[in-house]
Amino acid sequence: MGKQFIQKIWLGILLLAVACSAPEEVKDVSEPQIEYLVSWNEGPNKQSIIDFVKATTTPGSPDFVAPEDRIATFDNDGTLWSEQPYYFQLQFAIDRVKSMAADHPEWRDDELMNAAAMGDIEKLMSFGEEGLLKIVMATHSGISEEDFAKEVTDWINTARHPKTNLLYKEMVFQPMLEVLEYFRAHDFKTFIVSGGGIDFMRPWTKEVYGIPSEQVIGSSLKAKFELVDGKGQVIKTDGLNFIDDKEGKPVAIHQHIGKRPNAAFGNSDGDLAMLQYSFGTSGKSLQVYIHHTDGDREWAYDRESPIGRLNKGLDEAAANGWTVVDMKSDWATIYPKN
Amino acid sequence: MGKQFIQKIWLGILLLAVACSAPEEVKDVSEPQIEYLVSWNEGPNKQSIIDFVKATTTPGSPDFVAPEDRIATFDNDGTLWSEQPYYFQLQFAIDRVKSMAADHPEWRDDELMNAAAMGDIEKLMSFGEEGLLKIVMATHSGISEEDFAKEVTDWINTARHPKTNLLYKEMVFQPMLEVLEYFRAHDFKTFIVSGGGIDFMRPWTKEVYGIPSEQVIGSSLKAKFELVDGKGQVIKTDGLNFIDDKEGKPVAIHQHIGKRPNAAFGNSDGDLAMLQYSFGTSGKSLQVYIHHTDGDREWAYDRESPIGRLNKGLDEAAANGWTVVDMKSDWATIYPKN
């Protein structure tokens, strides 16, 4: 073969070698080039979250936690979405009373139910927790789980907050959506642990938070099994099953998950026991309180608030070195942009 | 540039194009070359399981189920592991009574507790379900969740069945381990839904079945939250919380999962309601009864058995076209080989 031919072959091989082994994008083996927590302003609070995730998920770290043990629990009202001037589920219950009132003439003689039908919140609140429970029982029972889920879905897709005019499901906290994503990207299982109704949250938490129904824990009424033509269904009944609040939260976590949360997020004294439970984890853990400090973009409240009171929790957080997020200064945005 | 140079370039480009686009290994886009259910003998029962998984997981199938909705529930006693001559957890409770007896002299005057301490099973069973519950309450309460998990772990790693001399945790059904793998390989979430104690199962179901604690549903005693030096812990108490049996199973599934199981596996009438609940799924579903027909390799029992009675369930399975697995003829092996 001629010298020129050989030269062509070499050139070809050279080009081949260069082209086929073109260096791949330089991989940062510690972290892919994705930016997390972009709505969080730089500071010690943001850093505490990052430090925790890095310490527990980096291979070789002395605080490494096996993926199957990575459990992060989140309160809902006041932690993942707003809760003022009162829990959004209460508005759902009131709307249910209004739509059911025609079929329940006896409610007109009931002070509480009548107040709900009239939308008289102040009167309603005067009946306290027992009153709220009675309204929930009246409007969340005697209905199949599928039918109830449909009622919730219809409501959550249409009901708007009177102050912001946003859909209630748009009043979720963008920085917390980013926390959920960040944790899941590092193989944490994210759970909701809320005092709110488990069946009120489940129809929409997957779409809104990326949290599937089996990872939602909440308060519940009783339910019973019924057979219709050989096929079974579950009907919600009006007995109280469980209130998933305060000391109930660690108990519910024990029952539903069977693992301690190494990371727990809350916003009120109702979450204190859950954070204390997380704090008792052997191994590195993270406890975060979301402190409502922004009266302009959301609502500012803590020690004196009838809804979402954060009083004892603030003191314990300080004593224990927990992270206390200041919504006003830590969050570049509150709600997702539309 | 000279003609020869251009020729060199063309040659190089040609070689490049050929080498860099060398055909990849031919991919079978329908199913990777893994064999599932290898301990299942060919037949309509094995086929019914395969048909269900294919129909619900093949893109484009009219019965396609979105991954997040793929829920498979499995009874434990008699479905995933043996349960004769009585539930293995009862042996755990009896062994606990024996080891705790020295600290409870009052048990000597208690007919039931004394029968347990003496290992007098017949006497013990004569007290019925209420008696079993009392023994469980006496031996599963007043202890932290971590300490109880340790007791269970120590026992499950050492206790042997008197007939087979296998560890109880080795008396799991190899063909069912393969079903669990097969379902998970097709993005089903596998759950245990058992009448047995949730805290008895959780310490070992991940290792033995690949089912993590948050996917184990069972019967439970109450629990309470306690604070020790600012850190929280959960203590099991002796009140009854929930019996996850019969109609309780669909209720527990509703509470824990919030989705119907499109596939449900059981072995006794205690699982009938769960199978009826699965049968009510809108969309393709699978209901399977494991029928204990093999007196040589395991135990043969059904309509008359005090433990794991399968009577009404057999009739309904026939009427509804459910799959009834014949352990003797469908399973090439019972327990995993060691």
Side-chain angles (χ1 to χ4, degrees), chain A residues 4-5 7-9 11-13 15-17 19-20 68 71 145-146 189 191 198-199 202 206 212-216 220-225 227 229-234 236 241-242 247-248 250-251 253-260 272-274 276-277 279-281 312 316 320 322, chain B residues 4-5 7-9 11-13 15-17 19-20 68 71 145-146 189 191 198-199 202 206 212-216 220-225 227 229-234 236 241-242 247-248 250-251 253-260 272-274 276-277 279-281 312 316 320 322:
Chain A
Q4 283 169 358
F5 185 73
Q7 277 176 349
K8 283 183 194 164
I9 298 292
L11 179 62
I13 290 168
L15 281 171
L16 206 68
C20 287
E68 70 231 37
I71 304 289
E145 56 177 336
E146 278 93 0
K189 267 190 171 168
F191 289 82
I198 195 172
D199 293 335
R202 278 172 161 168
K206 178 73 163 77
S213 67
E214 60 271 19
Q215 284 163 219
V216 174
S220 53
L221 298 180
K222 289 210 180 292
K224 66 177 182 182
F225 176 75
L227 210 51
D229 295 328
K231 298 186 182 205
Q233 61 175 355
V234 167
K236 293 169 64 60
N241 186 45
F242 190 79
E247 279 77 13
V251 170
I253 290 169
H254 163 74
Q255 302 278 21
H256 267 253
I257 308 179
K259 294 186 176 78
R260 284 182 187 256
L272 181 54
M274 175 170 75
Q276 288 167 333
Y277 184 50
F279 194 46
T281 302
K312 189 156 186 250
E316 281 222 21
N320 293 332
W322 296 346
Chain B
Q4 282 169 358
F5 185 73
Q7 279 177 347
K8 282 182 194 164
I9 298 291
L11 177 63
I13 291 169
L15 282 170
L16 204 67
C20 288
E68 71 231 37
I71 305 290
E145 56 177 337
E146 278 94 2
K189 267 192 171 171
F191 288 82
I198 195 173
D199 293 336
R202 278 173 162 167
K206 177 74 163 74
S213 67
E214 61 271 18
Q215 284 163 220
V216 174
S220 53
L221 297 182
K222 290 208 180 293
K224 65 177 182 183
F225 175 76
L227 210 51
D229 296 328
K231 299 187 179 199
Q233 61 174 355
V234 167
K236 294 167 65 61
N241 186 46
F242 191 78
E247 278 77 13
V251 170
I253 290 169
H254 163 74
Q255 303 278 19
H256 267 254
I257 308 179
K259 295 185 174 81
R260 284 182 188 257
L272 181 54
M274 174 170 76
Q276 289 167 331
Y277 183 49
F279 194 46
T281 301
K312 190 157 184 249
E316 282 222 22
N320 293 332
W322 296 347

Side-chain angles (χ1 to χ4, degrees), chain A residues 42 80 82 98 112 144 165 201 210 223 250 261 277 295:
Chain A
E42 297 307 316
L80 293 179
S82 292
K98 288 175 182 172
L112 169 72
S144 77
N165 204 38
M201 293 183 287
Y277 184 50

Side-chain angles (χ1 to χ4, degrees), chain B residues 19-34:
Chain B
C20 288
S21 66
E24 285 176 32
E25 212 177 81
V26 174
K27 280 199 174 107
D28 177 351
V29 297
S30 59
E31 193 79 354
Q33 299 301 92
I34 305 173

Side-chain angles (χ1 to χ4, degrees), chain A residues 77-265:
Chain A
D77 301 315
T79 299
L80 293 179
W81 74 349
S82 292
E83 60 181 354
Q84 300 291 352
Y86 46 88
Y87 306 120
F88 297 167
Q89 183 176 359
L90 179 54
Q91 190 58 54
F92 167 73
I94 289 167
D95 290 348
R96 286 275 289 157
V97 170
K98 288 175 182 172
S99 67
M100 289 166 73
D103 297 325
H104 292 268
E106 72 279 14
W107 287 351
R108 219 166 282 131
D109 303 320
D110 184 317
E111 258 204 284
L112 169 72
M113 298 310 289
N114 197 45
M118 294 298 120
D120 187 344
I121 308 295
E122 231 182 290
K123 184 92 189 276
L124 212 154
M125 297 293 234
S126 70
F127 287 89
E129 256 185 45
E130 222 181 87
L132 298 186
L133 197 50
K134 189 175 159 190
I135 289 172
V136 165
M137 287 204 206
T139 56
H140 291 37
S141 66
I143 182 172
S144 77
E145 56 177 336
E146 278 93 0
D147 288 346
F148 186 75
K150 192 178 179 309
E151 294 289 328
V152 172
T153 300
D154 289 346
W155 185 85
I156 202 80
N157 286 331
T158 53
R160 291 184 181 276
H161 193 288
K163 183 182 175 192
T164 63
N165 204 38
L166 293 170
L167 292 175
Y168 288 106
K169 74 174 194 178
E170 292 170 332
M171 293 177 68
V172 295
F173 302 137
Q174 175 62 28
M176 293 307 291
L177 300 186
E178 293 165 7
V179 167
L180 291 170
E181 263 186 61
Y182 180 51
F183 272 75
R184 284 195 293 262
H186 291 80
D187 294 326
F188 275 84
K189 267 190 171 168
T190 52
F191 289 82
I192 282 174
V193 182
S194 166
I198 195 172
D199 293 335
F200 171 75
M201 293 183 287
R202 278 172 161 168
W204 51 270
T205 53
K206 178 73 163 77
E207 172 207 329
V208 174
Y209 298 133
I211 296 178
S213 67
E214 60 271 19
Q215 284 163 219
V216 174
I217 300 170
S219 298
S220 53
L221 298 180
K222 289 210 180 292
K224 66 177 182 182
F225 176 75
E226 259 184 22
L227 210 51
V228 181
D229 295 328
K231 298 186 182 205
Q233 61 175 355
V234 167
I235 311 291
K236 293 169 64 60
T237 62
D238 64 5
L240 178 64
N241 186 45
F242 190 79
I243 301 274
D244 183 35
D245 194 27
K246 306 187 186 71
E247 279 77 13
K249 289 199 176 191
V251 170
I253 290 169
H254 163 74
Q255 302 278 21
H256 267 253
I257 308 179
K259 294 186 176 78
R260 284 182 187 256
N262 9 46
F265 293 73

Side-chain angles (χ1 to χ4, degrees), chain B residues 54-67 70 284:
Chain B
K54 280 202 165 141
T56 51
T57 64
T58 305
S61 158
D63 296 312
F64 184 81
V65 174
R70 294 179 197 167
K284 197 166 179 66

